[in-house]
Amino acid sequence: MCIRDRNELVGLSLRACMNANNIPAAAIMTRSILKRLELSLLDVKDAREMYANCSGSACSHSMLGVIGAIPIAMSVADGGIAGRCGDVVSYLDEWLARAGSLKFRFRAWLTEREQAYQKQSQEGDTGMNDLSISKSPVPKLQTFVTNQVTINRAEFRDLVLELEHSFQNNLGTFSQQLVSIAAQLKEPVLRLELMLYIVGADIRWSGRDLLESCELFAESVHNHAT
């Protein structure tokens, strides 16, 4: 069987696993896809098409946590993750430069509150069977007034900058930093949204989904290195 036919078979198998909501089998197929990306047996374009064809079949957060490792691997393979890290650092630098003003932070809270309301109105029918928490809670005014939001985002900005540097130098370190950052983002706040953007994630992901996907990706990197 040629490489292209084998890749097509892997994609069809993953889709079948997802349609059956067979999470263990989907994890096996996802690991196969990650390995093929790492060995250059599957190019990013084909992997992206494969993911697009099956990602809509995910019917649980547990399944998202498994297949989510695929877009992370694609973002690493094509280098897009580095540019998105830079985007987030630039965005946060601009935000933090103005955050010394209480007036600015209050206006930021109003803007983010309105955005949360809009997202909540769009999250009615997600097709997810185990969706049990809101993905877009209203931000707490207290964190903006007390300046805690500035502290949190400044710390996150530094973590993203470190992530960008490790991506350029050591993929093993990078993958472990991904897991470490994801473990801190259990609540659906702006930092989680920015991290989802960085890794090229599906907007349906929760903090738990992100962590599970990063762990599976890190496992793949470690296995490839050894």
Side-chain angles (χ1 to χ4, degrees):
M1 182 180 294
C2 69
I3 292 176
R4 185 172 185 83
D5 288 345
R6 188 175 294 276
N7 288 339
E8 184 175 352
L9 178 60
V10 170
L12 290 173
S13 298
L14 175 61
R15 187 167 186 174
C17 295
M18 294 179 64
N19 287 337
N21 199 30
N22 188 330
I23 295 168
I28 292 173
M29 301 315 302
T30 295
R31 288 185 176 93
S32 177
I33 292 171
L34 298 186
K35 183 176 181 179
R36 299 184 75 78
L37 277 169
E38 291 166 357
L39 297 176
S40 299
L41 297 175
L42 174 66
D43 64 39
V44 176
K45 180 181 178 181
D46 289 340
R48 186 169 287 114
E49 181 178 351
M50 186 185 298
Y51 180 76
N53 287 337
C54 67
S55 61
S57 301
C59 58
S60 69
H61 279 299
S62 295
M63 184 64 78
L64 281 181
V66 168
I67 67 166
I70 298 174
I72 297 176
M74 292 190 299
S75 297
V76 169
D78 66 12
I81 203 163
R84 291 193 288 274
C85 281
D87 291 343
V88 168
V89 169
S90 295
Y91 168 78
L92 290 174
D93 280 343
E94 182 178 346
W95 193 93
L96 291 168
R98 304 175 63 188
S101 165
L102 177 59
K103 183 178 181 180
F104 169 78
R105 297 199 306 276
F106 181 69
R107 288 180 173 175
W109 172 75
L110 289 174
T111 299
E112 293 182 27
R113 183 185 65 169
E114 179 61 28
Q115 291 172 345
Y117 286 146
Q118 291 175 359
K119 290 177 183 177
Q120 285 177 353
S121 68
Q122 298 169 2
E123 288 170 355
D125 182 14
T126 64
M128 306 295 286
N129 291 340
D130 67 351
L131 188 64
S132 58
I133 60 172
S134 171
K135 292 288 298 302
S136 301
V138 177
K140 298 177 181 178
L141 176 59
Q142 182 180 3
T143 62
F144 285 76
V145 172
T146 62
N147 210 29
Q148 184 61 46
V149 66
T150 304
I151 296 172
N152 292 342
R153 292 180 183 181
E155 291 177 350
F156 179 69
R157 179 261 183 207
D158 291 343
L159 290 174
V160 172
L161 187 59
E162 291 176 7
L163 188 67
E164 182 181 8
H165 289 165
S166 65
F167 174 74
Q168 305 292 348
N169 298 301
N170 188 304
L171 190 57
T173 301
F174 166 81
S175 65
Q176 291 303 316
Q177 287 180 336
L178 269 181
V179 173
S180 178
I181 294 173
Q184 300 177 42
L185 301 176
K186 298 177 181 179
E187 298 296 328
V189 294
L190 176 65
R191 286 169 288 142
L192 174 58
E193 292 186 21
L194 293 175
M195 197 62 194
L196 295 181
Y197 166 74
I198 287 172
V199 301
D202 190 303
I203 60 173
R204 295 171 293 175
W205 283 4
S206 67
R208 183 193 67 186
D209 303 333
L210 174 64
L211 177 58
E212 292 176 354
S213 298
C214 289
E215 288 175 337
L216 184 54
F217 171 74
E219 172 197 298
S220 177
V221 171
H222 174 74
N223 290 341
H224 182 66
T226 57

